[in-house]
Amino acid sequence: MLFQIQEAVMKRKSTRTFDGTPVKEEDSQKFEQFLNELDNPFGVPVEFRMLQAKEHKLSSPVVVGTDVYFAAKVKPQGQYEIAYGYEFAHACLYAESLGMGTVMLAASISRQTFEKAMEVSDDEVMPLASPLGYAAQKRTIKDSLMRKGLKADARKPFEKLFYLESFEHELSPQKAGVFADALEMVRWAPSAVNKQPWRAVVDNSAVHFYENQTIKSAPGWDVQRIDIGIALAHFDLTMQEGGLAGKFEQADPKLETKEKFDYVISYKL
């Protein structure tokens, strides 16, 4: 581990207001090298690039104070959405460890110019981009209002997201065993408009992950499936930090649920 995962998860806040300081060369080089070495447990290649706003005429109506962005593209294949979210989350956590702010943007970017800068082909998609820089001491009024409207610092209770053996039994942190810390880091993962679409069922040495889809999918990708990938990064990296080895696999337990929870993947120790 290059940095402390849980510390980065809890410190990181979505940053839209930057202080205008150019990204230090040392930080830029470290971050770009990290992007080049990123991978995921799902075997899907994701390509990242650093982008200069002035060079490519990139913009976002919610971002001020930085001209540096990074973005990623992927070919729709296999578990591409969760692979994409996993790597993007890992990148944002590493940026936090370097003292830099990020925010995962899907709708509020000049998408055509970003896709042109990323050279997105017909068989690729580019769901997210993020600014990169140093957070300002004070947020803009727009930024502050957005966070308040999204209740960005709030999360659903542990017991409303995670279950024991079936969806009939809520799971408490005390009963989550070796998965407690990792599931808590899932709980604090960022998500589109803070919908927190992840659900998980702990069954002995396995955790089964589900998506509670409440946002209509965009053409080419499901933004909430990407959110699941972000949460899975928090989970998997925390497990690794704790010295626990496991793997992701398809092992649908066919659990009954009164709500529309779509099975995504399982993690087994």
Side-chain angles (χ1 to χ4, degrees), residues 52-77:
Q52 298 296 324
K54 292 179 179 178
E55 178 184 349
H56 298 287
K57 300 180 180 178
L58 308 175
S59 63
S60 167
V62 301
V63 174
V64 296
T66 185
D67 290 323
V68 181
Y69 287 83
F70 67 96
K73 61 181 181 177
V74 65
K75 291 184 178 180
Q77 56 180 305

Side-chain angles (χ1 to χ4, degrees), residues 82 161-167 169 171 179 183 186 197-212 228 231-232 235 247-257 261-269:
I82 62 174
L161 295 171
F162 311 125
Y163 301 84
L164 181 62
E165 296 180 349
S166 76
F167 285 107
H169 305 107
L171 178 67
F179 300 118
L183 289 174
V186 167
W198 39 80
R199 301 292 184 272
V201 178
V202 174
D203 186 9
N204 294 318
S205 61
V207 183
H208 307 292
F209 289 93
Y210 292 77
E211 175 189 358
N212 178 30
I228 301 296
L232 292 178
F235 180 89
K247 63 179 181 178
F248 290 103
E249 60 182 49
Q250 290 295 311
D252 189 349
K254 308 292 185 183
L255 298 177
E256 293 185 4
T257 173
F261 297 153
D262 297 322
Y263 174 77
V264 179
I265 204 164
S266 299
Y267 176 94
K268 291 192 175 184
L269 285 175

Side-chain angles (χ1 to χ4, degrees), residues 71-135:
K73 61 181 181 177
V74 65
K75 291 184 178 180
Q77 56 180 305
Q79 296 273 27
Y80 71 99
E81 291 149 319
I82 62 174
Y84 187 98
Y86 186 106
E87 289 198 24
F88 216 101
H90 200 177
C92 289
L93 292 176
Y94 182 63
E96 175 63 41
S97 77
L98 295 176
M100 294 191 290
T102 58
V103 57
M104 302 179 209
L105 302 176
S108 51
I109 55 173
S110 54
R111 179 158 294 279
Q112 287 187 340
T113 55
F114 272 90
E115 290 183 349
K116 182 179 179 181
M118 287 294 295
E119 299 179 297
V120 177
S121 62
D122 291 340
D123 64 344
E124 295 174 322
V125 293
M126 189 214 78
L128 303 179
S130 172
L132 184 70
Y134 308 105

Side-chain angles (χ1 to χ4, degrees), residues 30 47 74 113 135 148 155 164 181 183 195 200 222 229 258:
K30 286 181 178 179
E47 181 182 341
V74 65
T113 55
K148 184 177 180 180
R155 294 295 189 273
L164 181 62
D181 287 346
L183 289 174
K195 287 291 187 179
D222 173 358
K258 295 178 182 178

